[in-house]
Amino acid sequence: MKITRLCWGVELSRAVKYLGIYGQVMSVIGAIVAIVLFALPSILGMYQDQEMRIDLLSGLYGGALFFLLLNIGWFIFSHILVERNRNINIEGVKRMIKTGSYIIGSLQAIAFAILLINGLIFVSIGSGGMGIAGGIIMTIGGIFLIFPSLLLHGIRTNSPGKVKIWIIVQFVLFGLVLFASIPGLGVRYGLLQMIVLCLSFMYFKGMVIVHYNIMLENDRTMNMEIAAGMKKETSMDNTMKTKHREFSNPMSDNPPPYAAVV
């Protein structure tokens, strides 16, 4: 099976291999970053400040722990994906890709829902500039919450059209962010950000694109099976009609009148 829609025509096994290896590498890097965050208070000597110990350290350790667990889960998921692809477990790979697409859509929906809720809070408790900022945040969160909702609903109901809308929106947003990356950070940091954005886009959006192609392939296979079944039924009907004509007796079906017989 080739990934041809919204992609460059790579084989499914190669696309899945890239997704699995990329996920393993990035999850290991993320775990290292989380461990560094755990050691950061000792390195910077934050334990000397009593107020900072309660406020900042609790948030720092909590965030580092969450980030570490997230990357451990990502590594396990990517490892299972690579193993199933290596063992040519096609159905298992398809289920993993579907699960990954669900996770991507859910995380994005949660992020925009949090943005929407924060905007509502700013509007309700703020005034003046804070209220305006809250209204803008609420509007952005509400609008962009629509698209991951479409993605999740499309995956659940097997609707490729809804998934395609999400993919197109992600392409547009990716182009806008990529275009704005260099002027904001300069050439050196802009190029670095472009590389990170491209790699992230190829993974997260690439997984959904792979699942989108799997959905199209499943629909195409189902339509072919339905067409083959209808053709088989039509052929059987024609065969039965032919046999009926061969064994039918016109005299018994339409007997002559009594007067003609006498």
Side-chain angles (χ1 to χ4, degrees):
M1 173 184 169
K2 273 195 173 184
I3 311 300
T4 56
R5 299 294 183 91
L6 302 174
C7 196
W8 51 90
V10 67
E11 290 289 340
L12 175 62
S13 59
R14 291 186 61 187
V16 172
K17 182 179 179 180
Y18 161 76
L19 292 173
I21 293 176
Y22 178 88
Q24 287 179 324
V25 173
M26 294 306 296
S27 60
V28 170
I29 294 175
I32 293 173
V33 172
I35 294 172
V36 171
L37 290 176
F38 273 112
L40 193 61
S42 299
I43 297 173
L44 299 179
M46 294 181 179
Y47 292 107
Q48 299 176 0
D49 194 334
Q50 297 295 328
E51 295 182 358
M52 185 177 295
R53 182 182 304 178
I54 298 174
D55 298 330
L56 182 60
L57 295 183
S58 59
L60 183 61
Y61 283 137
L65 179 61
F66 174 77
F67 193 56
L68 180 61
L69 294 176
L70 184 66
N71 282 279
I72 291 174
W74 189 9
F75 180 84
I76 294 172
F77 174 85
S78 300
H79 178 71
I80 296 173
L81 183 62
V82 170
E83 288 299 317
R84 290 187 177 181
N85 185 57
R86 183 180 294 124
N87 296 328
I88 318 178
N89 185 356
I90 304 300
E91 292 302 319
V93 166
K94 289 181 178 181
R95 287 194 296 269
M96 292 290 293
I97 293 295
K98 183 177 182 179
T99 301
S101 300
Y102 260 126
I103 294 173
I104 291 169
S106 299
L107 291 176
Q108 196 176 66
I110 291 171
F112 289 127
I114 292 174
L115 196 66
L116 175 63
I117 293 172
N118 287 334
L120 288 171
I121 293 174
F122 288 157
V123 169
S124 60
I125 65 175
S127 60
M130 182 176 290
I132 295 173
I136 295 173
I137 294 173
M138 182 179 63
T139 303
I140 294 174
I143 292 174
F144 284 104
L145 182 60
I146 296 172
F147 302 109
S149 301
L150 283 174
L151 172 63
L152 295 173
H153 190 261
I155 296 172
R156 186 178 63 85
T157 59
N158 195 32
S159 302
K162 295 176 182 177
V163 177
K164 186 177 181 179
I165 293 174
W166 182 88
I167 294 172
I168 293 174
V169 171
Q170 298 304 309
F171 270 110
V172 174
L173 293 177
F174 173 72
L176 293 175
V177 173
L178 196 63
F179 180 76
S181 60
I182 293 181
L185 297 175
V187 176
R188 181 180 302 176
Y189 295 105
L191 290 175
L192 180 61
Q193 185 179 4
M194 286 176 60
I195 294 172
V196 174
L197 286 173
C198 288
L199 292 175
S200 300
F201 179 84
M202 291 175 66
Y203 180 82
F204 294 106
K205 281 63 177 181
M207 181 167 292
V208 179
I209 290 173
V210 170
H211 182 62
Y212 171 72
N213 280 267
I214 292 173
M215 294 170 68
L216 293 178
E217 182 67 21
N218 291 339
D219 287 347
R220 187 160 47 247
T221 303
M222 185 180 298
N223 292 334
M224 291 175 62
E225 291 177 353
I226 293 173
M230 293 178 63
K231 185 177 180 181
K232 185 177 180 179
E233 290 180 1
T234 304
S235 176
M236 292 177 64
D237 291 341
N238 292 334
T239 303
M240 294 297 295
K241 289 179 181 178
T242 303
K243 290 182 178 181
H244 179 73
R245 284 196 299 268
E246 290 176 353
F247 289 101
S248 63
N249 188 351
M251 294 299 294
S252 61
D253 294 341
N254 298 301
Y258 178 76
V261 175
V262 174

